[in-house]
């Protein structure tokens, strides 16, 4: 006889009861149900974040619609819990603003998925603004023209005077100098990070997906005559399976290594020259923080919540504390009022971790990491940049929320995602930290798992590196723009 104590995270209650242990059991901490640990599933999805849960949900819905599946077909496993990784600490911005045509089309698809159930996804469709200097005007003009082509609603303002006028009509304290274009996306916005992922988990479970947390993948079982994976080995036992999806965010390299995939690759540049022995993975640190003021502090002139604001600038940035020069190089920030964070939340361009990916400690992750945290230097720069853009933020550095924040991102060689099948039956979603906004990728991957190739994913195949089919790069200081 065993005494089981179950904590319900949703109801914040304790349930205590005796249970005769007859079979091996597994406990799902987000949804407190005692369930037998599965030894077999048609599909095993690794990662209970944005990609894993979106794929599982859509896959379950498609199987159910086709009438050729059961509730035991799909199992999601995660070594932590639902939203315990990058998805749970994401800033939650949803946007279409990309210089690369393939990324724009993919993001337009994802925005539609966010819009399909804003309540369940805790999605706030307040829009998004890309505010840029002259050096980026050509790139942003291209983005606008192609947004028109795909029917994505936006307004484009050009010229320094007209850009300033447009911004002051929305925020009368706007004071950033050297801005010569404003791209205002009327769709997009942001979602509450963990709440959205729990909403996604609810949809997946309602469709019959089994979500098992606290279960770490330790390896893969292989077939005797092929590279195909026949089972996922975990800390709780092996799950035999037919197909695997890896949607593990910054932990993707670990699974890449378990599958014996190459950590050095060849890349053909735009001139047709093949460059060998390029590192497959590069880690960047994402720097974000919160200014602890009432989110209503950032309301627009007409009393509404403003769009998410992203500013890239080549104007000298001076300290809001002592007037000293912080940088005379290109810089960028993004910010939004966010009641989920209890303040103004945002960040700056990430910085590259200058050591081999093999030597980067992803765990402990996020705020628990003793190594990767934002610093006073970040707070000084970000708060000064806020004051550079809007007068209301002058002197507000005193309200900055000191404490751990930020997280690691695992980037591909060109900083764009890889969506592809490896080892015959393992589908890897390597989002290169574009992840959270890509809610719609799961629907596309689900189709490909069922044998239907999707055009939106074709530009993101792994073989693009060796073929030289690379995505164009922009003038933004951010690696993912």
């Amino acid at each position: 006889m065993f005494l089981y104590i179950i904590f319900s995270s949703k109801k914040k209650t304790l349930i205590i009861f005796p249970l005769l242990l007859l079979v091996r059991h597994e406990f799902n901490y987000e949804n407190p149900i005692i369930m037998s640990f599965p030894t077999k599933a048609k599909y095993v999805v690794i990662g209970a974040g944005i990609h894993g849960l979106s794929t599982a949900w859509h896959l379950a819905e498609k199987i159910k619609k086709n009438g050729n599946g059961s509730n035991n077909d799909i199992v999601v496993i995660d070594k932590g819990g639902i939203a315990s990784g990058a998805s749970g600490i994401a800033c939650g911005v949803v946007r279409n603003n990309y210089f690369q045509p393939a990324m724009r089309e993919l993001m337009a698809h994802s925005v539609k998925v966010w819009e399909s159930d804003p309540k369940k996804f805790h999605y706030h469709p307040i829009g998004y603004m890309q505010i840029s200097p002259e050096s980026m005007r050509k790139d942003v003009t291209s983005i606008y023209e192609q947004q028109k082509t795909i029917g994505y609603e936006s307004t484009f303002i050009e010229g320094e005077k007209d850009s300033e006028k447009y911004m002051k009509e929305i925020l009368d304290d706007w004071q950033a100098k050297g801005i010569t274009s404003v791209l205002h996306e009327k769709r997009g916005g942001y979602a509450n990070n963990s709440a959205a992922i729990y909403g996604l988990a609810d949809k997946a479970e309602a469709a019959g997906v089994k979500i098992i947390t606290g279960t770490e993948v330790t390896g893969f079982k292989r077939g005797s005559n092929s590279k195909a994976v026949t089972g996922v080995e975990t800390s709780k036992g092996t799950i035999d399976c037919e197909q695997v999806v890896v949607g593990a965010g910054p932990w993707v390299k670990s699974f890449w290594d378990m599958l014996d995939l190459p950590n050095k690759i060849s890349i053909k540049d735009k001139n047709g020259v093949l460059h060998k022995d390029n590192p497959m993975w590069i880690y960047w640190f994402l720097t974000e923080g919160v200014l602890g003021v009432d989110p209503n502090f950032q309301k627009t002139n007409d009393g509404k919540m403003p769009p998410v604001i992203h500013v890239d600038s080549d104007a000298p940035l001076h300290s809001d504390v002592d007037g000293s020069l912080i940088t005379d190089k290109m810089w960028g920030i993004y910010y939004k009022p966010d009641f989920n964070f209890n303040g103004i939340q945002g960040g700056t361009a990430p910085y590259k971790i200058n050591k081999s990916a093999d030597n980067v400690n992803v765990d402990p992750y996020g705020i628990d990491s003793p190594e990767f945290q934002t610093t006073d230097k970040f707070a000084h720069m970000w708060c000064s940049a806020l004051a550079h853009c809007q007068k209301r933020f002058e002197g507000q550095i005193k309200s900055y929320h000191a404490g751990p924040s930020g997280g690691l991102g695992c980037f591909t060689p060109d900083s764009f995602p890889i969506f592809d099948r490896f080892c015959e039956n393992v589908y890897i979603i390597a989002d290169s930290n574009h992840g959270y906004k890509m809610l719609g990728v799961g629907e596309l991957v689900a189709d490909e798992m069922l044998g239907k190739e999707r055009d939106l994913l074709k530009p993101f195949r792994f073989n693009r590196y060796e073929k030289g089919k690379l995505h164009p790069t922009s003038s933004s200081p951010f690696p993912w723009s």
Side-chain angles (χ1 to χ4, degrees):
M1 187 74 70
F2 292 83
L3 186 66
Y4 275 77
I5 302 175
I6 297 179
F7 175 70
S8 170
S9 61
K10 294 183 179 179
K11 296 183 179 180
K12 294 184 173 59
T13 57
L14 285 174
I15 305 169
I16 304 176
F17 61 92
L19 180 69
L20 181 63
L21 187 64
L22 298 177
V23 295
R24 182 168 49 141
H25 285 92
E26 177 58 29
F27 175 60
N28 182 322
Y29 289 92
E30 275 72 25
N31 190 9
I33 300 172
I34 297 295
M35 62 178 75
S36 59
F37 186 85
T39 58
K40 187 177 182 179
K42 189 169 185 178
Y43 305 95
V44 173
V45 180
I46 301 170
I50 193 84
H51 294 309
L53 291 173
S54 179
T55 301
W57 165 45
H58 285 290
L59 190 56
E61 293 286 359
K62 290 175 187 293
I63 290 173
K64 185 184 297 183
K65 185 177 179 180
N66 294 339
N68 59 355
S70 71
N71 287 350
N72 296 321
D73 276 343
I74 307 166
V75 172
V76 176
I77 55 178
D78 196 289
K79 71 175 182 179
I82 293 170
S84 63
S87 296
I89 63 171
C91 68
V93 170
V94 177
R95 63 181 170 92
N96 179 265
N97 175 45
Y98 275 93
F99 178 64
Q100 301 74 24
M103 290 294 293
R104 264 198 307 281
E105 293 179 11
L106 186 60
M107 292 305 175
H109 170 79
S110 286
V111 170
K112 288 180 182 178
V113 180
W114 283 107
E115 293 171 342
S116 69
D117 195 347
K119 183 176 180 181
K120 194 69 173 179
F121 294 139
H122 297 262
Y123 172 59
H124 307 275
I126 57 175
Y128 179 91
M129 304 182 90
Q130 167 68 54
I131 301 166
S132 313
E134 186 62 24
S135 61
M136 289 181 61
R137 196 203 291 204
K138 184 178 179 181
D139 289 354
V140 181
T141 300
S142 174
I143 294 171
Y144 172 65
E145 293 297 333
Q146 293 185 51
Q147 284 182 340
K148 285 196 300 183
T149 300
I150 64 175
Y152 196 86
E153 184 185 0
S154 59
T155 296
F156 188 50
I157 310 299
E158 293 188 83
E160 189 166 0
K161 288 185 178 179
D162 286 345
S163 295
E164 182 179 27
K165 178 183 177 184
Y166 187 81
M167 291 306 301
K168 285 191 172 182
E169 287 173 352
I170 298 171
L171 299 161
D172 56 15
D173 66 329
W174 185 259
Q175 58 186 14
K177 302 301 181 184
I179 299 300
T180 62
S181 68
V182 177
L183 178 63
H184 185 178
E185 298 179 4
K186 299 306 175 71
R187 295 166 66 188
Y190 73 97
N192 297 341
N193 49 27
S194 294
I197 307 304
Y198 273 91
L200 197 54
D202 288 344
K203 285 179 175 288
E205 288 185 320
V209 174
K210 182 180 289 186
I211 302 173
I212 301 175
T213 57
T215 303
E216 184 172 2
V217 175
T218 57
F220 294 102
K221 188 167 73 172
R222 304 286 192 129
S224 57
N225 297 316
S226 74
K227 294 182 179 180
V229 168
T230 60
V232 177
E233 298 168 348
T234 81
S235 55
K236 305 292 176 62
T238 298
I239 307 173
D240 291 333
C241 60
E242 295 180 21
Q243 295 195 61
V244 178
V245 178
V246 177
W251 289 272
V252 66
K253 183 186 180 301
S254 297
F255 298 101
W256 188 269
D257 292 344
M258 287 182 195
L259 293 165
D260 297 319
L261 295 171
N263 277 316
K264 297 282 187 179
I265 66 167
S266 296
I267 301 176
K268 184 182 289 186
D269 65 25
K270 61 183 179 181
N271 298 316
V273 178
L274 192 66
H275 302 269
K276 297 182 178 181
D277 295 326
N278 297 277
M280 179 61 221
W281 304 108
I282 305 162
Y283 283 95
W284 292 64
F285 180 63
L286 295 312
T287 52
E288 295 185 340
V290 178
L291 192 66
V293 298
D294 187 334
N296 290 302
F297 184 71
Q298 177 62 354
K299 279 188 173 179
T300 61
N301 298 346
D302 58 2
K304 297 179 181 178
M305 285 297 166
V308 176
I309 292 176
H310 179 120
V311 179
D312 291 319
S313 178
D314 52 17
L317 178 62
H318 291 90
S319 168
D320 187 49
V321 177
D322 59 16
S324 61
L325 179 67
I326 294 176
T327 183
D328 57 2
K329 305 286 193 303
M330 191 83 166
W331 56 270
I333 64 165
Y334 52 93
Y335 59 103
K336 66 189 191 306
D338 193 324
F339 288 93
N340 184 50
F341 283 96
N342 295 316
I344 308 300
Q345 191 273 343
T348 65
Y351 65 83
K352 189 181 295 185
I353 305 300
N354 291 315
K355 56 181 168 179
S356 168
D358 290 332
N359 298 322
V360 175
N361 297 315
V362 181
D363 290 309
Y365 188 74
I367 63 173
D368 297 321
S369 172
E371 185 177 2
F372 301 110
Q373 297 294 339
T374 53
T375 62
D376 291 343
K377 183 178 179 180
F378 161 80
H380 184 208
M381 181 273 170
W382 185 62
C383 291
S384 295
L386 289 174
H388 174 96
C389 295
Q390 292 183 246
K391 190 172 182 61
R392 72 189 70 184
F393 292 117
E394 292 180 357
Q396 290 297 328
I397 192 172
K398 64 181 183 297
S399 300
Y400 180 78
H401 271 172
S405 63
L408 285 174
C410 190
F411 285 65
T412 62
D414 61 353
S415 298
F416 292 106
I418 294 171
F419 307 122
D420 210 346
R421 194 182 296 273
F422 298 83
C423 303
E424 300 179 30
N425 64 342
V426 179
Y427 202 107
I428 294 182
I429 302 171
D431 65 19
S432 200
N433 216 75
H434 298 267
Y436 193 91
K437 64 186 77 66
M438 287 184 163
L439 179 61
V441 164
E443 191 265 332
L444 303 172
V445 171
D447 269 345
E448 297 209 329
M449 296 289 291
L450 297 172
K452 180 183 178 182
E453 191 172 30
R454 296 300 300 264
D455 288 341
L456 288 175
L457 298 184
K458 288 181 181 179
F460 302 98
R461 304 304 190 205
F462 177 64
N463 65 9
R464 72 176 184 265
Y465 297 113
E466 197 160 11
K467 289 184 174 182
K469 295 183 177 180
L470 305 179
H471 298 279
T473 55
S474 74
S475 303
S476 170
F478 288 79
W480 51 65
S481 295

